[in-house]
Amino acid sequence: MTQRFRYGLFFLIPVIVILDQWSKWLILNEPKFNALGCLGDRFECDKIELSSVFDLTMVWNRGISFGFGQSDGIMRWVLVLLTTGIAIGFGIWLFNALRKMTGTALALVVGGAIGNVIDRVRFGAVVDFFDFSGPWFGWKIPLGGVFKYLEYPFAHPTSRDGMLGIGFPYVFNVADAAISVGAVLLFIDQFLMSQKDNTAGAVTADEARTPE
């Protein structure tokens, strides 16, 4: 990876942060959502229905990406410190990365992490709004017996009806998307590309030892 490409990746980080914060600013300033008014609510504030697949739903997330590990109080600052530490560590890794895919993945994760940290410091929770939870095209799966509890993490208590909509179950934001794409690229790079490089290196070493 050239220095020019590396500098471009460091430029990508603030671009992700600005895009993330700008999109959240639009949501926070949309009266329909009443975002700041429902800051203390652990569930969705309000939504704008756009299609059978995608809606805009304002949700305050006090956990990690996609709502995992909901935390308040001191745990809010633990998550801030943890996420900041990860961003710093990945930033150092980016500075020393050799492959373009490694650098791109790290830049996406760092930019997304910073975007969500800003929210957590400002509000104690992260602004989520991209909602692909469905049910897509009205498709639902009836839940009976113990399976009814599968609905609990995804539905407000007032909207639980014993049916699980078919769709992506989490509400997320630009930062979450950047982190997810970066994590997938990093997995591909570290576990697939690295193995390929190691295999190629082993073959080259064997060829070097082969007598003519």
Side-chain angles (χ1 to χ4, degrees):
M1 179 168 56
T2 64
Q3 284 296 105
R4 183 175 182 180
F5 188 84
R6 193 188 312 277
Y7 292 148
L9 292 178
F10 275 107
F11 178 74
L12 175 62
I13 293 174
V15 169
I16 293 171
V17 174
I18 291 171
L19 180 60
D20 175 67
Q21 290 297 304
W22 173 72
S23 62
K24 291 171 179 175
W25 178 82
L26 293 176
I27 297 297
L28 292 173
N29 286 275
E30 169 54 54
K32 170 67 174 177
F33 295 121
N34 186 31
L36 296 177
C38 68
L39 180 56
D41 191 350
R42 285 184 170 274
F43 301 98
E44 66 185 50
C45 299
D46 209 333
K47 68 190 304 179
I48 297 177
E49 296 185 1
L50 300 177
S51 71
S52 60
V53 175
F54 171 65
D55 298 316
L56 292 174
T57 303
M58 172 60 215
V59 176
W60 286 108
N61 172 21
R62 290 170 173 79
I64 312 173
S65 294
F66 300 108
F68 292 106
Q70 296 292 308
S71 303
D72 283 322
I74 188 65
M75 288 305 298
R76 161 192 177 185
W77 299 107
V78 170
L79 285 177
V80 168
L81 291 175
L82 177 63
T83 308
T84 302
I86 292 173
I88 293 173
F90 276 30
I92 296 173
W93 186 1
L94 171 58
F95 189 79
N96 296 286
L98 299 178
R99 287 193 294 269
K100 290 183 178 181
M101 184 178 291
T102 306
T104 303
L106 293 171
L108 289 170
V109 173
V110 171
I114 293 174
N116 281 343
V117 163
I118 292 173
D119 283 18
R120 205 174 303 282
V121 171
R122 291 181 64 196
F123 308 112
V126 174
V127 179
D128 287 341
F129 51 91
F130 289 136
D131 184 0
F132 290 88
S133 63
W136 292 1
F137 311 109
W139 296 339
K140 287 189 174 184
I141 300 174
L143 301 174
V146 296
F147 294 105
K148 67 181 181 181
Y149 297 107
L150 292 175
E151 184 184 15
Y152 279 41
F154 312 129
H156 190 284
T158 59
S159 62
R160 291 172 184 161
D161 57 2
M163 305 287 288
L164 184 63
I166 298 177
F168 185 74
Y170 304 107
V171 181
F172 60 100
N173 57 40
V174 172
D176 293 333
I179 292 171
S180 298
V181 173
V184 171
L185 291 178
L186 194 59
F187 174 83
I188 294 173
D189 176 74
Q190 295 299 301
F191 290 94
L192 300 182
M193 298 303 294
S194 294
Q195 290 181 4
K196 182 178 179 180
D197 290 346
N198 291 337
T199 301
V203 171
T204 302
D206 289 340
E207 292 176 347
R209 290 194 296 269
T210 301
E212 296 182 0

